[in-house]
Amino acid sequence: MSDRPSPDPPARLTRWEQRTEVPLFLAGLVFLTGYAVRVLTPHEAEPWNDIALTLVWSTWLLFLLDYAARLRLSGLGARFPRTHWLDTLVLLLPLLRPLRMVKVYLAVQRRRDRPRLDLYARVMAYAGMTAALLGFAASLAVYHLEHRAPGASILTFGDAVWWACATLTTVGYGDATPVTFWGRVVAAGLMACGLALLGAVTGSFSSWLIQVFTREDEKRPPERG
């Protein structure tokens, strides 16, 4: 029997996250596709609705198994939902899975001693991809909630996409707005996400510029009096 100590929980959890990040991202796209089919196709469109429902529930089960594995590998027990609130949130609301980009952003922020453009460019690319996926998911959710509501101004999926673009970019024209309670909840969440994503992009780019300029100043020979 080997006397080598087993890896500590954080190390095991990190390895698990590294191995599952891409498969879970693809599963998130499958979930979003299934949800889109359920929302945008007529209820009598068979067998597409049944296939979409199977995709939605099977991918959510995969997310649940991943959450259980993270909980076990973390060694935190009942504290895991509180300390890993983002994992808990995206399990309960799988349409928010693109928000896991926040972890990538925080990882880059911790590497302040390496002002490499590719790291910050990666964050900006992830932010753009997150915005696109969240906008699409919010468009589906708002269209599903709004298009049959009395007095609704979002009547087509195109209206919902236009509303999501205006909300994410913080423009807010006001020509298309949710009228239902849950539609407005989705809108409030998308507003907060839009501000956070804009902050991630501008913050990353500003941090990279500041570090580059600081290093250039340090390399410059001192001026003679």
Side-chain angles (χ1 to χ4, degrees):
M1 183 174 179
S2 175
D3 293 331
R4 171 185 279 181
S6 59
D8 57 85
R12 290 184 296 167
L13 179 60
T14 300
R15 283 204 299 269
W16 174 266
E17 290 177 341
Q18 291 173 345
R19 292 172 181 173
T20 59
E21 194 63 37
V22 173
L24 287 174
F25 174 76
L26 296 177
L29 294 181
V30 172
F31 178 93
L32 191 57
T33 301
Y35 181 70
V37 172
R38 290 286 296 175
V39 170
L40 299 177
T41 58
H43 291 293
E44 62 273 9
E46 300 296 345
W48 301 112
N49 274 305
D50 291 338
I51 294 174
L53 187 62
T54 301
L55 290 176
V56 167
W57 281 109
S58 59
T59 49
W60 188 83
L61 179 61
L62 185 63
F63 301 151
L64 179 62
L65 293 175
D66 170 69
Y67 186 86
R70 290 172 189 267
L71 190 154
R72 183 177 62 84
L73 293 174
S74 69
L76 295 174
R79 291 179 296 159
F80 182 84
R82 184 177 69 255
T83 57
H84 292 71
W85 62 269
L86 184 59
D87 293 322
T88 306
L89 180 64
V90 297
L91 175 66
L92 299 175
L93 299 171
L95 288 176
L96 297 180
R97 286 199 69 83
L99 286 179
R100 287 182 58 82
M101 172 265 167
V102 172
K103 287 192 172 183
V104 180
Y105 174 65
L106 293 176
V108 171
Q109 288 293 90
R110 286 194 292 266
R111 304 178 70 175
R112 295 181 180 275
D113 59 325
R114 302 180 64 187
R116 291 171 50 190
L117 176 60
D118 59 335
L119 291 175
Y120 293 101
R122 194 179 308 165
V123 169
M124 289 183 277
Y126 285 162
M129 183 169 56
T130 299
L133 291 175
L134 277 178
F136 181 62
S139 300
L140 290 170
V142 164
Y143 171 71
H144 185 210
L145 294 166
E146 293 285 321
H147 73 287
R148 294 181 180 175
S153 59
I154 300 175
L155 302 176
T156 67
F157 183 63
D159 293 338
V161 171
W162 171 254
W163 163 83
C165 292
T167 303
L168 268 175
T169 55
T170 68
V171 174
Y173 286 111
D175 55 342
T177 56
V179 297
T180 65
F181 171 78
W182 289 112
R184 289 174 176 174
V185 169
V186 173
L190 192 61
M191 291 174 196
C193 291
L195 291 173
L197 291 170
L198 286 175
V201 172
T202 56
S204 296
F205 187 66
S206 300
S207 296
W208 176 74
L209 285 179
I210 290 172
Q211 290 184 49
V212 170
F213 291 151
T214 301
R215 289 203 169 190
E216 290 296 324
D217 289 340
E218 291 174 352
K219 293 177 182 178
R220 186 179 303 169
E223 297 182 1
R224 295 182 178 179

